[in-house]
Amino acid sequence: MALATMAVLTMNAQVCKDCNKQCNMNDKNCEQKCCETKKTRSATFQYEKDLKWEDAEPGVVRQIMGYDGQVMLVKVKFEKGAIGKAHSHYHTQVSYVASGKFEVTIGGKKTILSAGDGFYVAPDTEHGVVCLEAGMLIDTFSPMRATFIGLK
């Protein structure tokens, strides 16, 4: 019996790939402390008043919400006429139009989306937006955008 328990403990003990510490990855406190020191996980709760808005492009600011290595949620606020330049990345992206109106181009296809609409961007697909009426997008990425939090 003791050997079986030791085998289970050994299987659960892992080395964190970010900080190289050995953690029992079933112990949320260990995993969270380990990862928070390397900024690979957000705080459990995010309060808008405590989170900074950062410039993304002219007329565009973003606020990083919750994230870990697998997923990231970002609020992106646009002034009327602001452009989210065409780009691509290896992340899967799903976005929700929280407010405003946007001309969205994905893989050469263009449409107009308004509050309540959304869009999906497959990895490595060129996409961009033009803000027609001031508004906000809620972007979700998988895996997280490490460059948004100063990694890589």
Side-chain angles (χ1 to χ4, degrees), residues 46-108:
Q46 298 87 48
Y47 301 95
E48 182 178 42
K49 65 181 176 60
D50 296 335
L51 300 174
K52 66 179 181 163
W53 287 91
E54 54 191 52
D55 293 329
E57 298 188 55
V60 182
V61 292
R62 68 177 167 232
Q63 188 178 52
I64 309 300
M65 302 300 287
Y67 62 89
D68 66 14
Q70 303 305 309
V71 70
M72 175 178 269
L73 183 72
V74 180
K75 295 189 321 190
V76 189
K77 197 182 318 182
F78 290 78
E79 295 174 5
K80 182 178 180 176
I83 297 171
K85 294 177 189 164
H87 65 285
S88 64
H89 43 72
Y90 69 88
H91 310 82
T92 297
Q93 178 177 339
V94 179
S95 297
Y96 172 75
V97 181
S99 62
K101 186 179 282 189
F102 296 84
E103 178 184 86
V104 181
T105 305
I106 302 170

Side-chain angles (χ1 to χ4, degrees), residues 5-140:
T5 302
M6 193 166 110
V8 169
L9 289 174
T10 303
M11 285 174 46
N12 289 335
Q14 299 178 15
V15 175
C16 175
K17 63 184 173 196
D18 294 315
C19 69
N20 214 24
K21 291 181 186 173
Q22 186 163 336
C23 293
N24 175 354
M25 298 309 266
N26 286 336
D27 178 353
K28 292 295 183 192
N29 291 329
C30 175
E31 183 180 6
Q32 187 168 359
K33 286 177 189 170
C34 178
C35 292
E36 281 182 352
T37 61
K38 285 295 192 177
K39 297 184 180 179
T40 58
R41 173 176 290 151
S42 69
T44 301
F45 300 101
Q46 298 87 48
Y47 301 95
E48 182 178 42
K49 65 181 176 60
D50 296 335
L51 300 174
K52 66 179 181 163
W53 287 91
E54 54 191 52
D55 293 329
E57 298 188 55
V60 182
V61 292
R62 68 177 167 232
Q63 188 178 52
I64 309 300
M65 302 300 287
Y67 62 89
D68 66 14
Q70 303 305 309
V71 70
M72 175 178 269
L73 183 72
V74 180
K75 295 189 321 190
V76 189
K77 197 182 318 182
F78 290 78
E79 295 174 5
K80 182 178 180 176
I83 297 171
K85 294 177 189 164
H87 65 285
S88 64
H89 43 72
Y90 69 88
H91 310 82
T92 297
Q93 178 177 339
V94 179
S95 297
Y96 172 75
V97 181
S99 62
K101 186 179 282 189
F102 296 84
E103 178 184 86
V104 181
T105 305
I106 302 170
K109 295 181 182 178
K110 190 179 294 192
T111 193
I112 306 294
L113 297 177
S114 299
D117 298 333
F119 58 91
Y120 163 80
V121 183
D124 302 313
T125 303
E126 188 171 271
H127 58 286
V129 302
V130 176
C131 183
L132 304 176
E133 292 176 8
M136 185 180 305
L137 298 176
I138 308 298
D139 291 341
T140 305

